[in-house]
Amino acid sequence: MHNQNLLKEQLKNKINQKTKPLGALGELENIALQIGLIQNTLSPNLFNPVIVVFAGDHAVAQSGVSAYPSEVTYQMVLNFVRGGAGINVFTKQNNIHLEVVDAGVMGDFEENLPIIHAKIRKGTRDYRYEKAISLEEYQLATQKSHEIVQNFHKKGTNIIGFGEMGIGNTASASLIMHHLCNIPLAECVGAGTGLDKKGIEKKLEILQQVTDFHKITTKNPLDIALAFGGYEIVMMAEAMKKAKELNMVIMIDGFIATSALLLAYSQNNDILENCIFCHTSHESGHQKILDFLGVKAILSLNMRLGEGTGTALAYPIIQSAVNFLNEMASFEDAGVSKELNV
Amino acid sequence: MHNQNLLKEQLKNKINQKTKPLGALGELENIALQIGLIQNTLSPNLFNPVIVVFAGDHAVAQSGVSAYPSEVTYQMVLNFVRGGAGINVFTKQNNIHLEVVDAGVMGDFEENLPIIHAKIRKGTRDYRYEKAISLEEYQLATQKSHEIVQNFHKKGTNIIGFGEMGIGNTASASLIMHHLCNIPLAECVGAGTGLDKKGIEKKLEILQQVTDFHKITTKNPLDIALAFGGYEIVMMAEAMKKAKELNMVIMIDGFIATSALLLAYSQNNDILENCIFCHTSHESGHQKILDFLGVKAILSLNMRLGEGTGTALAYPIIQSAVNFLNEMASFEDAGVSKELNV
């Protein structure tokens, strides 16, 4: 711990010696400091960046909590494979490896499709009547998601982002948020992919019934995950835990990814040391989770697409933070005068 | 005008057909629409991006309006040439051509230095006692900055950002803002490169005296530019006007660059059609100018470095906006179901 404090001082000193007014790079300085501390070095780097998109379906999606039908999850996975989705465009632009995981999509994919086949079940159970996920399924999801992260770590990846695709999954995220953040359910429920006011009211009514049915009074993240799912969310949560264990930089996307982080955070608050919050979603609950965690995101562009798109768009900014720390000249290097003693 | 409205509808339709919920890419959709309208096409592109950094000194800098001595302007130009400044790191990362212009630095540069030698004078006159810039100097600055932009346009550049380096230039920016936005001087004056509370009070006192001395009651941008300078600011303003004339996408940086835009905007409000506001500076007056113009910036990272760094960091986001418009699949292409009629 003493060494970490020393490194922190050295990093701050290195940042302050760069040819710029003190603090003039704002949040970039905080990001550079954070990554230096994670990697325990004055000269951090980002290697083999990866975004993993977990896809899964939700039985409840059929009941009116989403503006889109469940088939869209399956169709969007095919769109990812063909390169036509937002996340494809942004990862390609920014040289980020994209990996798609079938965590629990209702449809069957051909075996030779270039995705990771980790289907736990064809969609979660309907949490209006039973737990969404069984304990055995959770354990399988844990094992598979840990393997995925471990494999990227072996290839040298030291920064990883997580995204999701799952019609109906803002409903799960709202339930997780409500139970872990002590925030009234109405403040956790939003438009998702595009419900109107009446649709949001109906979604809230359903989720209130679900809350009453499960009656979870503890803050045990496992209980909450099993009750409300989905497979893509629990795989994200476990993947984040593994990425923390392997000391990677973890890029956090929007509302659903942050609800997955809440599950991991409830077990180990220290995970925040490794997390970079990439964007604030337009989905109404997201800002409140960020406030709960006491963090600020890099981008705020009124986006609400998911798929990890916020992490892909923020990645160049994270790279810029590392680059200025490594590449900018110091006052001494450049022969630039420092502040006047006024 | 009828054609422009038709194109707008077609662009909106193209954006809405992409495989994402309606509006889910937030500000990126607005940027894509704007660039499509500028380039009069459904498939815009960004070609040969350039950031031009204008450097100039201010006689008033010696009097206590800045935390750094004037020599720093000269030293930082040498730092730009050697590749050691923030703007070097970020333009290199994002494949943006960087051009540095001596608009009016006090020191002499060797002729073979890879900068554009357009020195109007070794620093402005002291606006505490006289006009900072003469009409002849303004005309020369206009001619030279127009040439610079014209030359990039000839090479195919269709997106250009402007940055600045000039110890003391937040003072000029504050005076321009005060006179063009009808905002009390105290709300226009901030810490610049890092004045403390006492320093800001002294800066405000000096700038109040300067305002009283010049007694400019019109909103004539030429009168205001001549009174308060500096050379780097008027060259930026004229370069922006030329970039608008050549129908380029114009990337607007922070407080000083936006004060230059105010000069151009006062003559032709339509320039906003071509401007993308790249970041909100931590310098206190900047948000108020953005509010005055009724615009919102892409990034808000508490930065206040100048040099065009905000434009270099925002460029990948602008590129992402163009890319999603060109590269994402439509619902029809991808065979993805559209919204339910709920």
Side-chain angles (χ1 to χ4, degrees):
Chain A
M1 195 40 101
H2 172 257
N3 283 343
Q4 187 80 350
N5 282 338
L6 181 65
L7 177 64
K8 193 171 184 174
E9 284 315 300
Q10 289 173 331
L11 277 163
K12 283 186 179 177
N13 191 46
K14 184 173 179 183
I15 291 167
N16 291 343
Q17 294 300 319
K18 298 293 182 185
T19 45
K20 58 171 186 55
L22 270 180
L25 281 174
E27 298 300 331
L28 262 66
E29 300 190 11
N30 297 331
I31 297 167
L33 176 65
Q34 182 184 0
I35 297 178
L37 288 172
I38 292 170
Q39 298 187 355
N40 196 35
T41 175
L42 291 171
S43 303
N45 63 34
L46 302 179
F47 202 69
N48 280 2
V50 170
I51 293 173
V52 185
V53 179
F54 295 94
D57 274 309
H58 295 251
V60 78
Q62 322 292 5
S63 71
V65 298
S66 175
Y68 284 80
S70 279
E71 299 90 83
V72 167
T73 307
Y74 179 85
Q75 293 162 345
M76 282 301 295
V77 169
L78 296 182
N79 197 20
F80 295 147
V81 169
R82 291 191 202 110
I87 190 60
N88 296 100
V89 174
F90 305 143
T91 50
K92 182 180 152 206
Q93 177 190 331
N94 295 328
N95 295 310
I96 301 167
H97 178 80
L98 173 63
E99 192 76 36
V100 177
V101 179
D102 174 10
V105 179
M106 284 182 181
D108 288 307
F109 295 107
E110 288 182 28
E111 261 191 46
N112 62 356
L113 217 61
I115 62 173
I116 296 179
H117 296 278
K119 196 194 293 288
I120 306 299
R121 187 173 182 272
K122 290 186 177 181
T124 52
R125 293 171 176 77
D126 193 332
Y127 53 54
R128 288 177 298 172
Y129 313 114
E130 58 183 325
K131 287 182 183 179
I133 299 180
S134 74
L135 183 60
E136 294 68 29
E137 288 163 2
Y138 189 96
Q139 287 163 341
L140 189 60
T142 300
Q143 180 204 320
K144 292 191 178 198
S145 65
H146 286 198
E147 273 171 26
I148 291 166
V149 175
Q150 184 78 62
N151 283 338
F152 282 115
H153 183 257
K154 274 185 198 152
K155 293 178 199 161
T157 293
N158 65 8
I159 177 163
I160 194 162
F162 300 105
E164 44 54 51
M165 177 67 223
I167 296 300
N169 67 8
T170 59
S172 283
S174 297
L175 289 164
I176 293 168
M177 173 189 173
H178 169 61
H179 283 84
L180 287 174
C181 301
N182 263 337
I183 293 174
L185 189 60
E187 294 178 37
C188 302
V189 174
T193 46
L195 292 174
D196 59 13
K197 191 163 171 284
K198 207 177 134 196
I200 296 173
E201 278 168 19
K202 185 178 170 194
K203 182 177 174 184
L204 174 59
E205 194 183 308
I206 293 168
L207 298 186
Q208 186 58 58
Q209 287 165 4
V210 169
T211 301
D212 296 343
F213 173 75
H214 287 277
K215 287 194 185 62
I216 297 180
T217 53
T218 70
K219 295 217 177 302
N220 184 321
L222 182 62
D223 289 344
I224 292 165
L226 297 183
F228 309 124
Y231 299 116
E232 79 284 30
I233 293 178
V234 300
M235 285 189 85
M236 272 199 288
E238 288 295 333
M240 288 171 185
K241 283 156 72 172
K242 190 67 183 176
K244 166 65 182 169
E245 187 188 315
L246 296 169
N247 200 35
M248 294 162 131
V249 177
I250 308 171
M251 296 187 286
I252 304 295
D253 197 36
F255 183 56
I256 297 137
T258 312
S259 79
L261 174 66
L262 279 176
L263 294 170
Y265 169 83
S266 300
Q267 279 193 285
N268 176 14
N269 288 187
D270 291 348
I271 197 171
L272 289 190
E273 293 165 357
N274 291 59
C275 293
I276 295 182
F277 293 84
C278 289
H279 91 122
T280 306
S281 170
H282 192 62
E283 174 70 11
S284 58
H286 193 218
Q287 182 64 60
K288 289 177 202 280
I289 309 187
L290 297 178
D291 292 345
F292 173 83
L293 293 170
V295 298
K296 191 178 170 298
I298 295 175
L299 299 174
S300 189
L301 296 169
N302 286 327
M303 286 169 48
R304 49 181 173 80
L305 179 52
E307 304 175 4
T309 48
T311 67
L313 289 168
Y315 180 74
I317 306 277
I318 300 169
Q319 182 74 66
S320 293
V322 168
N323 288 354
F324 98 75
L325 186 62
N326 289 321
E327 299 175 22
M328 263 181 84
S330 69
F331 283 100
E332 197 178 3
D333 295 338
V336 172
S337 307
K338 296 204 68 172
E339 268 185 283
L340 298 163
N341 288 317
V342 282
Chain B
M1 195 41 100
H2 170 259
N3 284 342
Q4 188 79 351
N5 282 339
L6 180 65
L7 177 64
K8 193 171 183 176
E9 283 315 300
Q10 288 173 330
L11 278 163
K12 283 187 179 175
N13 190 47
K14 184 174 179 183
I15 291 167
N16 290 344
Q17 294 300 319
K18 298 293 182 183
T19 45
K20 56 169 187 57
L22 269 181
L25 280 173
E27 299 300 332
L28 263 66
E29 300 190 11
N30 297 330
I31 297 167
L33 176 65
Q34 182 184 0
I35 297 178
L37 288 173
I38 292 170
Q39 298 186 357
N40 196 34
T41 175
L42 291 171
S43 303
N45 62 32
L46 303 178
F47 202 70
N48 280 359
V50 170
I51 293 173
V52 185
V53 179
F54 295 94
D57 274 310
H58 295 250
V60 78
Q62 322 291 4
S63 70
V65 297
S66 175
Y68 284 80
S70 279
E71 298 89 84
V72 168
T73 308
Y74 179 84
Q75 293 162 346
M76 282 300 296
V77 170
L78 297 182
N79 197 20
F80 295 147
V81 169
R82 291 191 203 110
I87 190 60
N88 296 99
V89 174
F90 305 142
T91 50
K92 182 180 152 207
Q93 177 190 331
N94 294 330
N95 294 311
I96 301 167
H97 177 80
L98 173 64
E99 192 76 37
V100 178
V101 179
D102 174 10
V105 180
M106 282 181 182
D108 288 308
F109 294 107
E110 288 182 27
E111 260 189 49
N112 61 357
L113 218 60
I115 63 172
I116 294 178
H117 297 279
K119 198 193 291 288
I120 307 297
R121 187 174 182 270
K122 290 186 176 182
T124 51
R125 293 171 176 79
D126 193 333
Y127 53 52
R128 289 178 297 171
Y129 314 114
E130 59 184 325
K131 286 181 182 177
I133 298 180
S134 73
L135 183 60
E136 293 69 27
E137 287 164 4
Y138 189 96
Q139 287 162 341
L140 189 60
T142 300
Q143 180 204 319
K144 291 191 178 197
S145 65
H146 286 197
E147 273 171 26
I148 291 165
V149 175
Q150 184 79 63
N151 283 337
F152 282 114
H153 182 257
K154 274 185 199 153
K155 291 177 199 162
T157 293
N158 65 8
I159 178 164
I160 194 162
F162 300 105
E164 44 56 49
M165 176 68 223
I167 296 299
N169 67 8
T170 57
S172 283
S174 297
L175 289 163
I176 292 167
M177 173 189 173
H178 168 62
H179 282 83
L180 287 175
C181 301
N182 264 337
I183 293 174
L185 189 59
E187 294 178 38
C188 303
V189 174
T193 47
L195 292 174
D196 59 12
K197 190 162 172 281
K198 209 177 130 193
I200 296 172
E201 279 169 17
K202 186 177 167 193
K203 183 178 174 183
L204 175 58
E205 193 183 307
I206 292 168
L207 299 187
Q208 186 58 59
Q209 287 165 5
V210 169
T211 301
D212 296 342
F213 173 77
H214 287 277
K215 288 193 185 63
I216 298 180
T217 53
T218 71
K219 294 217 177 303
N220 184 322
L222 181 61
D223 289 344
I224 291 163
L226 297 183
F228 309 122
Y231 299 117
E232 79 283 31
I233 293 177
V234 300
M235 285 188 85
M236 271 198 289
E238 288 294 334
M240 289 170 185
K241 283 156 72 172
K242 190 68 183 178
K244 167 65 182 170
E245 186 189 317
L246 296 169
N247 200 35
M248 292 162 135
V249 176
I250 307 171
M251 295 187 286
I252 304 295
D253 196 35
F255 183 57
I256 298 137
T258 313
S259 79
L261 174 66
L262 279 177
L263 295 170
Y265 169 83
S266 301
Q267 279 192 287
N268 176 15
N269 288 188
D270 290 348
I271 197 171
L272 290 190
E273 293 164 359
N274 290 60
C275 292
I276 294 181
F277 293 84
C278 289
H279 90 122
T280 306
S281 172
H282 192 61
E283 174 71 9
S284 58
H286 193 218
Q287 182 64 60
K288 288 176 203 281
I289 309 187
L290 297 179
D291 292 344
F292 173 82
L293 293 170
V295 296
K296 190 176 171 300
I298 295 175
L299 300 174
S300 190
L301 296 168
N302 286 326
M303 288 171 47
R304 50 181 173 80
L305 179 52
E307 304 176 3
T309 48
T311 66
L313 289 168
Y315 180 74
I317 306 277
I318 300 169
Q319 182 74 66
S320 293
V322 168
N323 288 355
F324 97 75
L325 186 61
N326 289 322
E327 299 175 21
M328 263 180 85
S330 68
F331 283 98
E332 198 178 3
D333 294 338
V336 173
S337 307
K338 296 205 70 171
E339 268 184 282
L340 298 164
N341 288 317
V342 282

